[in-house]
Structure formats: structure tokens, C-alpha cells
Amino acid sequence: MREMKVTAKTIAKQLNISTATVDRVIHNRGGVSPKTARKVLDKAKELNYEPNKSASFLAKKKSIHVACVFPEYPEYFWEEIEDGIKTTIEDVKDYGFHVDIIKTPQTIHKQVEVVENIIQSQKFDGLVICPTDGVPLASIIESGINNDFPIFTFNNDSPASRRISYVGADYYDAGRLAGELAVKLTGNSKKFAIITDEADTFQMKQKRRGFEAFALENKQVEFVKMLKLDNQQMDESLKKIKQNILDVDGVYVACGALDEVAKMVKEIEIDKPVLIGHDMSEAIYQQLQNDIVAATICQDPLYQGSLALRLAFNYLMLDKYPEKKDNIVKLEIVTKGNAKYYMK
Amino acid sequence: MREMKVTAKTIAKQLNISTATVDRVIHNRGGVSPKTARKVLDKAKELNYEPNKSASFLAKKKSIHVACVFPEYPEYFWEEIEDGIKTTIEDVKDYGFHVDIIKTPQTIHKQVEVVENIIQSQKFDGLVICPTDGVPLASIIESGINNDFPIFTFNNDSPASRRISYVGADYYDAGRLAGELAVKLTGNSKKFAIITDEADTFQMKQKRRGFEAFALENKQVEFVKMLKLDNQQMDESLKKIKQNILDVDGVYVACGALDEVAKMVKEIEIDKPVLIGHDMSEAIYQQLQNDIVAATICQDPLYQGSLALRLAFNYLMLDKYPEKKDNIVKLEIVTKGNAKYYMK
DNA sequence: ATTTAAATGATTAGCGCTCATCATTTTTGT
DNA sequence: ACAAAAATGATGAGCGCTAATCATTTAAAT
């Protein structure tokens, strides 16, 4: 309808050359005299020519396979990421970009094994991965990259490696935000506790640092207790924590145990501390509705997974290098009132 | 790589028929005996056949034009929506789906004029629109729909009309959320004010109702003052409001004047009320950073625009009717700490 | 000047799907 | 029984782009 669409043919006709020559120029594949090339380029600009992707992909018959690797737990978290990934897969598969989703046990040992297999197998042209632990993976990523095997990280980085790009949150910033919320939601209180666990991953360290940094900058904050949850002896450990938080106004759960801590806090009869944590699940949703958890900080999981894949797609199919090596995603604040939007 | 891709040809070969017949069956375009049809369908399922979109679009050479209409102000708000829309346009234009962005003055009169022109012009196959006011547009939408001219609303609905679908926030819920934040951020205070303006659009009414409903359910809330901002005599009006909010703990700006109110609140020397409003802009960002505005409630504008367009795309290009008539988008809470993620 | 190679450009066969058109078979009417 | 119509299926020409191959011109080497 309306203005004719401009194709390579349009340009070719106007310049009395063949479409093949036009194509050669557009993708500067060489074999064209500078003079002709100039003319084509000028005409292309004049007519605002853009090659049609559908036709291009069809003709190229390029087929790319990447593996998308992430842990299987916590299920509620990865389920959402998977949804986002699947939507994107739908979008790109007709362009010849194929993705195998591979979930791994969360032990880094297992994950390393899986990744090594993927690279060895020669079945894939690239890897999109959420490293359980960025450190041991760094050298593998490094050797992958050296062998022209592109690797993209998301959700958790392997900063030491030369992965093509990272998509995920800034966890230091997440900690700071938790700090801000803690202060605001307790009515400018003074006493806080942070709960982490023994794993003390990079993510968690960053969160803790962020929270502490915020506390330091805030004059009215009196102290921040650091409490460690023992996942092996959860019950014992929670009991200890319970004793330890009776005198605080706010508790920030930086590890994945928000629901467990919430259950414990629920039993505190008077002056329950304000609870702040991360991520969303059915259980946490309930805790928000019951006013046990005051707020939880989320990152849009749908977006995260799909962006990582899109970057891989652009790189492998369109030879487009990502604009940024670090793609930092939004931190979103979820409370009782908007929690439902974060459930499936 | 690996498993051969299955095309219409694969099926045709295996059944000793032509690809055209396969195509006929797949799109049940008739002209095929039930027996053959069954065989094709079975084989398609067996091989997990899915027609390739690129090839399909290329061959169909269907070209669809829709108009995307929204107000030009407030600029900061629509700029972001436009960004989201443009990204989606990039995604779909190679499938022959073309979009003209048309910004209108915010008077409903003008918008109605523009819409009538669009429909009359016969240049478009559909309309994606943010109605300035859903009511006067309802009858136009109605007649459009009756003439097989599909219309999609977003951001602001025209609920009385039979638009194909709506994408946007639930403003009643937004008001409730504001109420929750007001209570939480003032440390369970009792006295609040809502600021609206004379326009008192559907959106604003809903927000107000939501806030009031929340207040009613909350025993500790003592009163909620309703204050009206006079946009014509802004300065005068703000002065009055200033007098009126000296005794409240929290102010909810339900209209678009968050920054203006913030500037006024800034001048209050002691016991500034906690300010809560909507949307984000450079100015509001600054007010958040200066702790004048405590929180603002946003809807992901990128997503909103692009979803509306995608629904139109699915409907017009893929004959896919939207799963839901009402697509309610997330409400996001923005404070000092995560504000930067909401800026471009 | 002649041979050889490099540079430049045209031709052409698809990619997978759609659809108009044509060929063949089956059904129906008389 | 036959012709005519309806049902069924095959053929083939693209859609716009890519890339291998071939043809021609130009420059370099002997």
C-alpha cells in the first residue's frame, strides 16, 4: 500500500547493474569497483534501502545452534527465566537460530562438566550461561573464547573471563536499595541485620557490601548485624538468628532463604522486624500478603533471559557485537500491593 | 547441524504428494480430500512440522499498515513509549507490517479528528491508539470495528467500545498501591491528601477510588483530603494546596503534576509530607534524589507500547486473536535507589 | 606483444512457502 | 450412456536475497 517498497532490484534497475552486485556492495563482500560501489551506496541511502531480513535469512540458510545453560533450582525463579527464553526462541527460530535449554544441578562441579561437554561435543556454535560460580568457569570460558566459541553470561557473571557480554543485575546496587527500603519502611530506624549463608557467593557479597555502604552513609543507622544461616542445620540456625534479631528493626535477607526467615519471623509475637529480601515465589507472595515480608527486590526475569539470547542472536546471526559488555537490568521493588504482577 | 529441518517438502516427499497440497492442508484452504488431509496432518504432527515464518511472509507478500496514535504530551512519558514501539517496529517491519506513528494534541477534539481522518483515508488496515478520552472515542471505535477496521487501545482504555484489546495498567490498583506506600513510608500515619486536577479523567478517578478504598480498609487512617489543582492558575492553586497539606503526613499526586507539587513541598520548612505520585521524568528523578518525592509508581512504558503493537501484528498478520481482551501491565515502584533504571 | 592473473560484473539456482493456474479424476445430472 | 460440473491434486512462478559459477574486461608479468 502506498509507496513502493525498495528492494535490491530497485537499485539494480536504476543503476543498470545486477542485484548480485548490489548485494556485494551492501555486504562489502568485495569484487566491485569503488566507483560502482559508491553509486550503489549513494542510491541505497537515497532510496533508504534496507535489505529484507526474511529474504536474507532464507537465502543464507545459515543455521546456528546455541546451548542455554542454567541451574534447575530454585525452580520458581528459573521457571520464569525459562518462559522469557522460550518466547525469544519462538521469535528467532524462524531465522535459523536454534537453542537447546540445558538445566544443570547447582553444584559448580556438575555445571563445569556440562559446559565442557557442550564445548567438546562440537554441536553448538555458542553458549549462553548463568554460571553457578563465575570463578571456576572463568578459565573454561577463556579457552572457549580463544577457540572462537562465543560465550554469554547472564544473571550471574564470570567477570574475570572475557565472555562476550553479561546481562544481569548490579548486586551491590541491589544491596543499597535494600538498605534504602529498610530505612524507609521502618520509619528511619537504627538497627538492622543482614542474613547471608555459608555459600557467600559473589552475588551475596555484593549485596552485603551495598547494604553496608548505604548504612555507613546514613547517619541514623546505629548498627548492622551480620548473621550467617547454616543451610545444613537450618532449624538450629534459624533459632539462633531469632534470638539475634529481637533487638533489630529491620532484617535484610541477602541469601535465598527469605521464606524460611519469614516463617521464623512470623512467630515473633511483638515488634516483628521489617523483612526485606529478594526474588519472588508463591511462598514469598503469601508472606507479602500476610505482611510478614515488607518488600522484596526483583529483577525482571523474562527480560533477562531474553536479552541474553538476543545478544547471542545478534552476534552469531547478524555479526553485531553487543553495544555494552555489561547489560545491567532493572531492580524492581515488590510489596503487597504490586506482588500479583510478579506472579505467573 | 544435527537433525534435518523439516519443511513442507519433507512431508510432501514422504507422502508422495506435492508441497502445494501440504500447504493447502496446513492452512486448510480446502480443495483436499479428507483422507489426504488426515495423512498430512498426522505426518506434520509426527515430524513436528512448523512452517517457516520467513518464507511464509516472503511468499505471502502481504503488506499491512497500521497507525499508532498517541498524545504528544507529556513528552518524557511518550518518548519512552515511542522507544518501545520503535523497537517492535524494527522487529516486525521485515514481515511486511508497517506502522505510522502519529502524535496528536491532547485535546480529545483534535484526536477524534485525526482518528476520523485515519479511518476515512483508507490508507490503514488498523489502528493502535491511546485515547485521550475513551468516551467520545467509543462510538468511532465502534463504527470502525463494525466496518472490519480493527482497533487496539493502550495506556488508556475506551472500555465501552469493542476494541480488539487493551494494554495498560489497572489504575484503581495503582491508587491502592499508592495508598499502601503512603502508609508504609510515613510509618503508619493517619492523615493524607490526594491531589487531582480538573480534568478528572477516568484514569484519575480510578486512582482516587483505589487510594480511598485502601484508606477505608485501613483502620489507622484518619482522613484523606481531596485537593484539586487548577492547571490554569497553577501558582495560586499550589499556594492553596500548600496551606492545606501542612497537617498531613503524606500526599498522593494522582494527576500529572508531581514535579510541580514537589517544588512546592520543597519549600515547606518543617515536617515535609511524604510525596507519592506517578511516572518518571528527568525532573521527577531529581526530586527523588533530593528526597522530596518518596516514591513514584510507573508502568513499564517500553513494554506497553510494544505489546499493543504485537497484538495488532498477531491479529492482522497471523490472524491470531489476542488471548486476553485486557492486558494489564505491571505497576512498578520507583524510589531513590532504583530510579536510575527508569531513566533512559 | 603475448600470456597469465587479477578485477569486475552478470547469470542463475536456490532458500521454504504461497497461490493462481492447469490437469486429472470423481461425481452428478440428463 | 454421455457431457458437464465439482472435487482433487500437480505445476510452476515468484517473494527478496545470497553465493557459487561463469564471462568479460583490465592490469601485471614474461
Side-chain angles (χ1 to χ4, degrees), chain B residues 176-243:
Chain B
R176 286 192 64 92
L177 180 57
E180 184 201 341
L181 292 177
V183 169
K184 282 193 173 161
L185 293 174
T186 55
N188 288 318
S189 282
K190 310 184 168 61
K191 300 161 186 169
F192 299 98
I194 308 180
I195 299 180
T196 62
D197 64 16
E198 307 129 318
D200 205 32
T201 57
F202 179 72
Q203 282 193 20
M204 233 181 299
K205 278 198 197 87
Q206 291 293 94
K207 286 178 188 170
R208 187 155 43 83
R209 281 188 200 135
F211 192 92
E212 286 166 350
F214 183 86
L216 278 179
E217 292 167 27
N218 243 17
K219 303 138 213 70
Q220 78 260 38
V221 175
E222 208 167 87
F223 66 76
V224 176
K225 275 189 193 174
M226 230 277 283
L227 302 174
K228 212 188 265 171
L229 185 69
D230 184 337
N231 294 62
Q232 254 57 50
Q233 305 198 17
M234 182 82 82
D235 286 348
E236 272 306 300
S237 192
L238 280 172
K239 242 177 240 162
K240 263 187 222 150
I241 287 176
K242 187 172 175 180
Q243 287 311 312

Side-chain angles (χ1 to χ4, degrees), chain A residues 49-83:
Chain A
Y49 167 73
E50 278 183 65
N52 180 292
K53 271 205 210 75
S54 290
S56 168
F57 280 109
L58 237 204
K60 269 210 276 256
K61 46 187 178 284
K62 184 170 171 176
S63 185
I64 292 280
H65 282 259
V66 304
C68 185
V69 175
F70 50 87
E72 45 190 348
Y73 300 109
E75 240 175 280
Y76 64 83
F77 183 73
W78 289 104
E79 240 172 46
E80 277 213 76
I81 298 237
E82 198 172 340
D83 279 355

Side-chain angles (χ1 to χ4, degrees), chain B residues 26-273:
Chain B
I26 296 299
H27 299 95
N28 54 330
R29 230 178 318 114
V32 180
S33 69
K35 209 181 54 174
T36 328
R38 254 272 60 81
K39 280 199 289 184
V40 171
L41 254 16
D42 288 347
K43 188 56 85 177
K45 182 154 283 172
E46 178 197 331
L47 301 180
N48 215 329
Y49 167 72
E50 280 183 62
N52 180 291
K53 271 203 210 78
S54 291
S56 169
F57 281 111
L58 196 49
K60 269 208 278 255
K61 44 188 179 283
K62 184 169 170 177
S63 186
I64 291 281
H65 282 259
V66 304
C68 185
V69 174
F70 51 86
E72 45 190 347
Y73 300 109
E75 240 176 280
Y76 64 83
F77 183 73
W78 291 103
E79 241 173 44
E80 276 213 77
I81 298 237
E82 198 171 341
D83 279 355
I85 288 174
K86 279 185 177 155
T87 314
T88 303
I89 291 180
E90 279 309 301
D91 278 4
V92 294
K93 75 152 183 261
D94 284 309
Y95 285 153
F97 189 77
H98 302 108
V99 182
D100 281 17
I101 293 179
I102 300 169
K103 284 178 257 188
T104 63
Q106 64 274 61
T107 72
I108 179 62
H109 174 69
K110 276 282 173 198
Q111 204 186 40
V112 166
E113 202 178 305
V114 169
V115 170
E116 276 173 342
N117 264 328
I118 287 172
I119 300 184
Q120 236 95 82
S121 76
Q122 306 264 351
K123 278 187 187 164
F124 296 96
D125 309 294
L127 171 63
V128 178
I129 185 171
C130 166
T132 296
D133 184 337
V135 180
L137 227 50
S139 65
I140 303 179
I141 294 181
E142 201 57 18
S143 78
I145 296 283
N146 284 336
N147 290 310
D148 211 30
F149 184 82
I151 297 177
F152 303 78
T153 60
F154 72 104
N155 194 266
N156 191 21
D157 199 9
S158 177
S161 73
R162 283 179 310 151
R163 74 285 185 282
I164 308 290
S165 70
Y166 164 64
V167 178
D170 177 335
Y171 294 101
Y172 174 84
D173 214 40
R176 286 192 64 92
L177 180 57
E180 184 201 341
L181 292 177
V183 169
K184 282 193 173 161
L185 293 174
T186 55
N188 288 318
S189 282
K190 310 184 168 61
K191 300 161 186 169
F192 299 98
I194 308 180
I195 299 180
T196 62
D197 64 16
E198 307 129 318
D200 205 32
T201 57
F202 179 72
Q203 282 193 20
M204 233 181 299
K205 278 198 197 87
Q206 291 293 94
K207 286 178 188 170
R208 187 155 43 83
R209 281 188 200 135
F211 192 92
E212 286 166 350
F214 183 86
L216 278 179
E217 292 167 27
N218 243 17
K219 303 138 213 70
Q220 78 260 38
V221 175
E222 208 167 87
F223 66 76
V224 176
K225 275 189 193 174
M226 230 277 283
L227 302 174
K228 212 188 265 171
L229 185 69
D230 184 337
N231 294 62
Q232 254 57 50
Q233 305 198 17
M234 182 82 82
D235 286 348
E236 272 306 300
S237 192
L238 280 172
K239 242 177 240 162
K240 263 187 222 150
I241 287 176
K242 187 172 175 180
Q243 287 311 312
N244 259 302
I245 62 171
L246 289 178
D247 64 333
V248 305
D249 308 298
V251 175
Y252 171 42
V253 183
C255 59
L258 180 54
D259 181 43
E260 286 75 7
V261 175
K263 280 191 190 117
M264 180 268 285
V265 164
K266 199 173 183 176
E267 291 168 12
I268 299 179
E269 305 284 325
I270 45 165
D271 285 332
K272 287 187 180 59

Side-chain angles (χ1 to χ4, degrees), chain A residues 17-169:
Chain A
I17 55 176
S18 72
T19 66
T21 306
V22 174
D23 188 64
R24 279 243 206 39
V25 175
I26 297 298
H27 301 95
N28 53 329
R29 230 177 318 113
V32 181
S33 71
K35 208 182 55 178
T36 328
R38 255 270 62 78
K39 279 200 289 185
V40 171
L41 254 17
D42 288 347
K43 188 56 86 175
K45 182 154 285 171
E46 178 197 330
L47 300 180
N48 214 331
Y49 167 73
E50 278 183 65
N52 180 292
K53 271 205 210 75
S54 290
S56 168
F57 280 109
L58 237 204
K60 269 210 276 256
K61 46 187 178 284
K62 184 170 171 176
S63 185
I64 292 280
H65 282 259
V66 304
C68 185
V69 175
F70 50 87
E72 45 190 348
Y73 300 109
E75 240 175 280
Y76 64 83
F77 183 73
W78 289 104
E79 240 172 46
E80 277 213 76
I81 298 237
E82 198 172 340
D83 279 355
I85 288 174
K86 280 186 176 155
T87 314
T88 303
I89 291 180
E90 279 309 301
D91 277 5
V92 294
K93 75 152 182 261
D94 284 310
Y95 285 153
F97 189 77
H98 302 109
V99 182
D100 281 16
I101 293 179
I102 300 171
K103 285 178 256 188
T104 63
Q106 65 273 64
T107 72
I108 180 62
H109 173 70
K110 276 281 174 199
Q111 204 186 41
V112 165
E113 202 179 303
V114 169
V115 170
E116 276 173 342
N117 264 327
I118 286 173
I119 299 184
Q120 236 93 82
S121 77
Q122 307 262 353
K123 279 188 186 161
F124 296 96
D125 309 295
L127 172 64
V128 178
I129 185 172
C130 166
T132 297
D133 184 337
V135 179
L137 226 51
S139 65
I140 303 179
I141 294 181
E142 201 57 18
S143 79
I145 296 283
N146 284 335
N147 290 310
D148 210 30
F149 184 82
I151 297 176
F152 304 77
T153 60
F154 72 105
N155 194 268
N156 191 20
D157 200 10
S158 177
S161 74
R162 283 180 308 152
R163 76 285 185 282
I164 308 290
S165 69
Y166 164 64
V167 177

